[in-house]
Amino acid sequence: MGSLVEIRDICKIYNPGENEVRALDHVSLEIDRNEFVAIIGQSGSGKSTLMNMLGCLDVPTSGTYILHDKDVSSLTDDELSDIRNTEIGFIFQGFNLIQNLTALENVELPLIYRGVGKKERDELSVRALEKVGLAHRMKHKPAEMSGGQQQRVAIARAIAQAPPIILADEPTGNLDSNSTKEIMGILRELHADGRTVILITHDNEIAAQADRVIKIKDGRVESDSAQNK
């Protein structure tokens, strides 16, 4: 299968010196193509810092990050931005939708930034919204949709250009139990379609739905285990 993500001995240190904080303390891990992995930890455990590293939103103080056989740990901001645009689809707890745009326009927006032509943009966006069951809500704005529907728009936006990695940061954190089931079902479908899904959560029940759970505590990997399904 081969590693898609390889982190070697990564540290992230804030305030180096006497009052330094080691948000990540010599973390090493590998994630293979088409894995469904949950990274779990409480607030302050380092899981959000690890997510930022995996998503190329931040760079380590030391150590190496190999993504798709490319060392991204020392790239420039522009190079990291290119990687984020092509390799990673982000899903956030707060949806991050633009309120005065329709669902379709929200999904299209990143494609505009990537220079995708209008015809292809429309096709990709419609297909993505159909995939998350929102074909009938394309012209609705976020305020006209439930939280679960807004998160499905956010997922459509993340998958429109078929990035190999889906990075979901507490994607069910603001949702009721029914919407949570819907979102987790969509993530499982994306995994079944061949995507690598990395789910960041503090919730044991959510983490248990992944195939592998990595527990982070005090900036270190406390455990890394496959789930018995």
Side-chain angles (χ1 to χ4, degrees):
M1 194 178 274
S3 294
L4 181 63
V5 165
E6 186 178 350
I7 280 181
R8 300 179 193 152
D9 203 31
I10 272 187
C11 293
K12 183 64 179 181
I13 301 170
Y14 297 101
N15 305 321
E18 201 174 312
N19 299 314
E20 75 179 24
V21 175
R22 285 184 172 260
L24 294 175
D25 193 5
H26 297 284
V27 171
S28 296
L29 60 88
E30 293 184 20
I31 297 173
D32 288 340
R33 288 172 175 78
N34 197 26
E35 274 202 275
F36 188 172
V37 180
I39 297 173
I40 187 167
Q42 296 308 310
S43 180
S45 63
K47 73 178 187 300
S48 295
T49 305
L50 180 56
M51 187 213 75
N52 288 340
M53 298 293 155
L54 291 169
C56 295
L57 296 163
D58 199 357
V59 292
T61 306
S62 61
T64 306
Y65 177 18
I66 309 290
L67 175 62
H68 246 153
D69 303 318
K70 184 173 187 177
D71 185 350
V72 299
S73 36
S74 56
L75 296 182
T76 66
D77 286 347
D78 284 347
E79 289 169 329
L80 288 172
S81 179
D82 288 343
I83 296 272
R84 289 195 299 271
N85 277 336
T86 56
E87 299 282 342
I88 304 164
F90 292 93
I91 304 164
F92 297 103
Q93 179 176 348
F95 317 141
N96 291 3
L97 301 178
I98 295 175
Q99 295 300 309
N100 63 348
L101 297 183
T102 64
L104 185 63
E105 289 165 342
N106 265 288
V107 175
E108 280 188 318
L109 195 59
L111 302 176
I112 294 171
Y113 292 142
R114 289 172 200 163
V116 178
K118 180 162 177 26
K119 185 171 184 293
E120 185 185 358
R121 201 165 68 223
D122 286 347
E123 289 172 359
L124 290 172
S125 300
V126 168
R127 201 177 310 144
L129 284 163
E130 288 172 346
K131 190 167 185 62
V132 299
L134 285 180
H136 62 302
R137 306 286 281 180
M138 289 188 196
K139 300 299 182 187
H140 289 74
K141 292 181 179 176
E144 300 168 314
M145 292 185 276
S146 68
Q149 289 171 333
Q150 289 183 63
Q151 188 61 294
R152 283 192 272 161
V153 174
I155 292 173
R157 180 183 59 196
I159 66 173
Q161 213 172 15
I165 299 171
I166 300 296
L167 191 55
D169 182 18
E170 302 277 9
T172 61
N174 288 334
L175 303 179
D176 62 29
S177 57
N178 281 338
S179 295
T180 293
K181 279 183 194 167
E182 287 178 357
I183 297 308
M184 292 306 298
I186 290 169
L187 290 177
R188 281 194 294 274
E189 284 174 20
L190 291 170
H191 172 240
D193 286 347
R195 302 273 172 48
T196 301
V197 179
I198 304 172
L199 172 67
I200 315 294
T201 184
H202 68 278
D203 187 320
N204 285 306
E205 285 186 27
I206 296 294
Q209 297 181 55
D211 296 334
R212 174 183 168 199
V213 177
I214 299 169
K215 289 187 179 175
I216 302 288
K217 185 177 180 181
D218 298 329
R220 296 186 175 188
V221 175
E222 185 180 46
S223 64
D224 183 349
S225 57
Q227 298 287 92
N228 295 318
K229 297 286 182 184

